[in-house]
Amino acid sequence: PTIFEESLEELGLASFLVTKGMKTSQKIILIMLASTIRISHGAIVTPGKNHHRTLFGQLLRQGFFRRTGHQTTIPSSLRAASSSLSYDHDGDTAAGRSTDSSRRRASFTIYYNDVYEVQLPPKHRFPMSKYRKVRELVQKWIDASPIHKDQTSGLECEFRVSPLATVPELETTHCPSYIHRYLVGNMTKDEQRNVGFPWSKQSVKRCLSSVGGTLAAACTVLDRTIADESKKTNNNIHWGAHVAAGTHHAFYDRGEGFSVFSDMAVAANSVLEKYPGHVKRILLVDLDVHQGNGNAVLFQNNPNVKTFSIHCKANYFSQKQESDLDIELPAGCDDKTYLITLQHWLNRLLRGEGGKFDLIFYQAGVDVLDVDRLGRMSLTSSGVERRNEMVYRFAEDLKVPLVICMGGGYPRGDNWSPIIEAHANVYYQAYQHLKNMVAKPAIA
């Protein structure tokens, strides 16, 4: 068992917890999937990287596989467990590979609202200027990518300024009286203190753009997905993002924790109304260090939206709420514990335990970093990158459109680089993942 557990950990902690209680044959199949080794008619063809070769060498010496000519064959006793699997080196099923030679295409539309930057009082703890810094770094990295300059790459990436949300859109989620009082500046001092921002006309536009950008990203990916369906080109992939927002602490008639309105909740409720024949269920994946308490309450007893939050047990700044799926992790939680937990629950959702979904929102807060001023967790930058990749693989496996929101991230002192780069990596990793997806053969 040690070989299996250590190998799975080496291969990205794939399905680590699921191996408990599994048969040896099932573990072998699991390792094959994680190792991205081609399996065809019971034969392992073209081993992958060096550590993959080492792993299969260990298994071969222990008699789990037999050499037949230039191939390594799975014994017949284990072949039954893999009879329905035929993966190539990219993770695509050979049986499902499209015979259409045309490449599938992808789009990644990134909205940003730093044009509405608000001047906060001196020494205010909210890092308002990080949004522009993150967006500029993402643009720099993407512009420098060779594929971005290749018009035949199949990946379209575009930056757009976030539109302002309308009052009817806000009213899908929030109290009309609360909306009006905020828009006209009739908030009490206690309400402003709970939100964390002083009211200003600048802040109103920024707040409306925070909601509007997330909603626009969701509508963009859905419009393109629906257009593809009408053309029967279902192999294309459409993701969207907002270099802002993730304001998950807003409730029906009040705000807190730098959240006036919930952008993800407004976007979810709006698209459920706008696309009734196409969007029936939505998943909110919230990986900020704080619980998505506002969204938990906004969607209580709502079967159309599932709220999933992994957060720090020791970092509640107001009353704990109940999401559909709440996972608490201890203060000081490291990469291994976090990633094992996340992979376990994503696997359960992937197996259908939460039902089917038509759209995913990903709140990608980086305040889980060990260098974050408010976080209380101990993830490394590498751990956060692996977290992001797990979510992107999950969305890819579900074949569901994805919308990414920024979430929290609070620099410590004058060294903003770790937080800025971690935020920027969220978006650049998504871009890279889509680039790799369009390079694969299309799946029917």
Side-chain angles (χ1 to χ4, degrees):
T2 301
I3 290 178
F4 293 111
E5 309 302 337
E6 290 180 352
S7 298
L8 284 172
E9 182 177 348
E10 180 185 9
L11 295 169
L13 300 168
S15 309
F16 188 93
L17 289 180
V18 184
T19 64
K20 293 184 177 180
M22 291 181 66
K23 296 179 181 179
T24 298
S25 60
Q26 293 172 315
K27 289 184 178 182
I28 293 172
I29 301 305
L30 207 56
I31 291 174
M32 292 174 186
L33 298 178
S35 305
T36 62
I37 300 297
R38 181 181 176 193
I39 305 169
S40 180
H41 304 293
I44 303 167
V45 185
T46 59
K49 297 178 181 179
N50 290 335
H51 68 277
H52 297 161
R53 292 192 180 96
T54 300
L55 166 63
F56 276 85
Q58 291 173 332
L59 297 177
L60 184 66
R61 287 193 296 273
Q62 293 186 31
F64 288 116
F65 304 102
R66 294 194 303 272
R67 290 197 182 278
T68 57
H70 297 291
Q71 296 181 332
T72 303
T73 304
I74 305 174
S76 58
S77 59
L78 301 182
R79 203 170 295 175
S82 63
S83 59
S84 62
L85 299 174
S86 183
Y87 280 73
D88 67 16
H89 67 283
D90 286 320
D92 295 321
T93 57
R97 189 179 301 128
S98 172
T99 56
D100 186 354
S101 61
S102 62
R103 297 180 64 181
R104 58 179 170 179
R105 305 187 66 82
S107 68
F108 189 35
T109 309
I110 304 173
Y111 287 83
Y112 62 95
N113 73 339
D114 55 72
V115 296
Y116 299 109
E117 187 170 312
V118 178
Q119 298 300 316
L120 294 174
K123 297 184 179 180
H124 194 283
R125 66 175 185 166
F126 188 80
M128 183 65 69
S129 62
K130 78 171 182 179
Y131 295 90
R132 182 180 297 276
K133 294 177 186 293
V134 171
R135 189 259 302 171
E136 289 176 345
L137 186 56
V138 175
Q139 284 184 311
K140 177 182 177 181
W141 287 348
I142 290 179
D143 287 344
S145 174
I147 195 171
H148 186 61
K149 303 171 184 177
D150 181 1
Q151 299 299 316
T152 64
S153 68
L155 173 57
E156 174 190 343
C157 182
E158 180 183 2
F159 286 79
R160 298 179 180 176
V161 174
S162 304
L164 304 183
T166 66
V167 170
E169 289 165 349
L170 296 176
E171 288 180 346
T172 62
T173 304
H174 294 287
C175 172
S177 174
Y178 170 62
I179 295 168
H180 176 74
R181 288 191 300 105
Y182 175 74
L183 294 181
V184 300
N186 195 23
M187 301 277 283
T188 67
K189 289 184 178 180
D190 285 343
E191 286 178 319
Q192 290 186 45
R193 187 180 304 111
N194 286 337
V195 168
F197 294 127
W199 186 91
S200 68
K201 291 183 179 180
Q202 283 181 320
S203 67
V204 170
K205 286 189 175 181
R206 182 184 182 278
C207 181
L208 294 179
S209 68
S210 290
V211 177
T214 300
L215 175 55
C219 290
T220 299
V221 299
L222 289 170
D223 286 340
R224 290 178 173 177
T225 300
I226 293 167
D228 282 346
E229 291 174 355
S230 68
K231 300 174 186 175
K232 297 183 179 180
T233 54
N234 297 344
N235 288 316
N236 293 340
I237 313 116
H238 303 293
W239 289 3
H242 196 188
V243 188
T247 50
H248 56 171
H249 299 307
F251 293 81
Y252 174 68
D253 56 1
R254 61 185 175 88
E256 67 176 39
F258 305 132
S259 303
V260 178
F261 304 121
S262 172
D263 62 295
M264 292 182 292
V266 172
N269 285 324
S270 295
V271 299
L272 284 167
E273 287 187 4
K274 185 176 180 179
Y275 306 94
H278 299 275
V279 181
K280 298 177 181 178
R281 294 197 72 235
I282 294 171
L283 174 65
L284 305 188
V285 178
D286 192 329
L287 301 186
D288 192 275
V289 78
H290 302 101
Q291 184 198 35
N293 57 341
N295 288 338
V297 173
L298 288 170
F299 292 114
Q300 277 181 348
N301 304 314
N302 185 339
N304 300 319
V305 179
K306 185 177 182 66
T307 52
F308 168 31
S309 177
I310 296 182
H311 48 268
C312 181
K313 184 177 182 180
N315 207 340
Y316 293 96
F317 56 82
S318 65
Q319 182 180 352
K320 176 184 174 181
Q321 304 296 338
E322 186 176 347
S323 307
D324 294 317
L325 178 56
D326 274 318
I327 308 299
E328 293 181 323
L329 291 174
C333 174
D334 61 8
D335 291 352
K336 182 175 181 179
T337 300
Y338 191 99
L339 296 171
I340 286 172
T341 303
L342 174 61
Q343 187 67 70
H344 171 74
W345 288 104
L346 290 179
N347 283 342
R348 292 181 64 165
L349 289 169
L350 193 59
R351 292 197 299 267
E353 290 191 16
K356 293 182 64 176
F357 302 104
D358 305 298
L359 179 66
I360 300 171
F361 288 92
Y362 173 31
Q363 207 276 22
V366 300
D367 43 9
V368 294
L369 280 168
D370 53 1
V371 296
D372 191 90
R373 178 165 47 90
L374 305 178
R376 299 187 188 177
M377 279 189 172
S378 298
L379 270 69
T380 65
S381 58
S382 175
V384 174
E385 290 175 15
R386 291 167 71 184
R387 175 200 73 170
N388 299 334
E389 184 59 26
M390 285 181 179
V391 175
Y392 300 152
R393 287 179 182 173
F394 172 73
E396 177 185 1
D397 290 342
L398 282 184
K399 299 180 181 179
V400 173
L402 175 70
V403 175
I404 304 163
C405 303
M406 181 180 279
Y410 304 93
R412 181 175 294 165
D414 295 328
N415 185 14
W416 285 42
S417 294
I419 299 298
I420 299 301
E421 290 177 5
H423 275 311
N425 262 322
V426 168
Y427 303 97
Y428 188 64
Q429 279 185 260
Y431 173 82
Q432 291 282 83
H433 192 94
L434 287 169
K435 179 188 74 172
N436 293 334
M437 287 177 68
V438 296
K440 297 178 183 180
I443 305 299

mmCIF file of all heavy atoms in Angstrom, residues 3 5 58 85 156 185 388 435:
data_model
loop_
_atom_site.group_PDB
_atom_site.id
_atom_site.type_symbol
_atom_site.label_atom_id
_atom_site.label_comp_id
_atom_site.label_asym_id
_atom_site.label_seq_id
_atom_site.Cartn_x
_atom_site.Cartn_y
_atom_site.Cartn_z
ATOM 1 N N ILE A 3 3.517 2.020 -1.668
ATOM 2 C CA ILE A 3 3.842 2.441 -3.031
ATOM 3 C C ILE A 3 2.682 3.196 -3.642
ATOM 4 O O ILE A 3 2.849 4.249 -4.249
ATOM 5 C CB ILE A 3 4.200 1.221 -3.909
ATOM 6 C CG1 ILE A 3 5.543 0.649 -3.480
ATOM 7 C CG2 ILE A 3 4.240 1.618 -5.384
ATOM 8 C CD1 ILE A 3 5.945 -0.582 -4.252
ATOM 9 N N GLU A 5 0.154 4.798 -2.105
ATOM 10 C CA GLU A 5 -0.115 6.073 -1.461
ATOM 11 C C GLU A 5 0.946 7.106 -1.832
ATOM 12 O O GLU A 5 0.638 8.247 -2.149
ATOM 13 C CB GLU A 5 -0.167 5.904 0.059
ATOM 14 C CG GLU A 5 -1.078 4.781 0.567
ATOM 15 C CD GLU A 5 -2.520 4.938 0.106
ATOM 16 O OE1 GLU A 5 -2.939 6.056 -0.206
ATOM 17 O OE2 GLU A 5 -3.232 3.939 0.053
ATOM 18 N N GLN A 58 8.461 -0.419 -10.573
ATOM 19 C CA GLN A 58 8.202 -1.043 -9.267
ATOM 20 C C GLN A 58 7.047 -2.045 -9.359
ATOM 21 O O GLN A 58 7.135 -3.172 -8.856
ATOM 22 C CB GLN A 58 7.874 0.036 -8.237
ATOM 23 C CG GLN A 58 9.042 0.936 -7.870
ATOM 24 C CD GLN A 58 8.609 2.077 -6.970
ATOM 25 O OE1 GLN A 58 7.468 2.512 -7.024
ATOM 26 N NE2 GLN A 58 9.526 2.564 -6.158
ATOM 27 N N LEU A 85 -12.004 1.458 -19.630
ATOM 28 C CA LEU A 85 -11.108 2.590 -19.705
ATOM 29 C C LEU A 85 -10.131 2.434 -20.860
ATOM 30 O O LEU A 85 -9.574 1.379 -21.060
ATOM 31 C CB LEU A 85 -10.303 2.736 -18.406
ATOM 32 C CG LEU A 85 -11.130 2.971 -17.137
ATOM 33 C CD1 LEU A 85 -10.211 2.949 -15.938
ATOM 34 C CD2 LEU A 85 -11.859 4.301 -17.222
ATOM 35 N N GLU A 156 -9.207 31.796 -28.012
ATOM 36 C CA GLU A 156 -9.483 33.231 -28.094
ATOM 37 C C GLU A 156 -9.533 33.807 -26.686
ATOM 38 O O GLU A 156 -10.308 33.344 -25.852
ATOM 39 C CB GLU A 156 -10.813 33.473 -28.807
ATOM 40 C CG GLU A 156 -11.264 34.922 -28.820
ATOM 41 C CD GLU A 156 -12.684 35.074 -29.323
ATOM 42 O OE1 GLU A 156 -13.202 34.130 -29.950
ATOM 43 O OE2 GLU A 156 -13.289 36.139 -29.076
ATOM 44 N N GLY A 185 -26.687 56.525 -0.902
ATOM 45 C CA GLY A 185 -25.825 56.916 0.211
ATOM 46 C C GLY A 185 -26.540 57.088 1.524
ATOM 47 O O GLY A 185 -26.117 57.895 2.372
ATOM 48 N N ASN A 388 -5.712 25.390 -7.828
ATOM 49 C CA ASN A 388 -6.368 25.912 -9.024
ATOM 50 C C ASN A 388 -6.477 24.855 -10.112
ATOM 51 O O ASN A 388 -7.527 24.707 -10.753
ATOM 52 C CB ASN A 388 -5.584 27.114 -9.574
ATOM 53 C CG ASN A 388 -5.498 28.264 -8.600
ATOM 54 O OD1 ASN A 388 -6.347 28.426 -7.730
ATOM 55 N ND2 ASN A 388 -4.459 29.069 -8.730
ATOM 56 N N LYS A 435 -5.408 26.370 -23.119
ATOM 57 C CA LYS A 435 -4.467 26.165 -24.221
ATOM 58 C C LYS A 435 -4.185 24.685 -24.405
ATOM 59 O O LYS A 435 -4.163 24.171 -25.532
ATOM 60 C CB LYS A 435 -3.168 26.918 -23.940
ATOM 61 C CG LYS A 435 -2.101 26.756 -25.016
ATOM 62 C CD LYS A 435 -0.781 27.370 -24.598
ATOM 63 C CE LYS A 435 -0.085 26.515 -23.549
ATOM 64 N NZ LYS A 435 1.298 26.993 -23.255
#
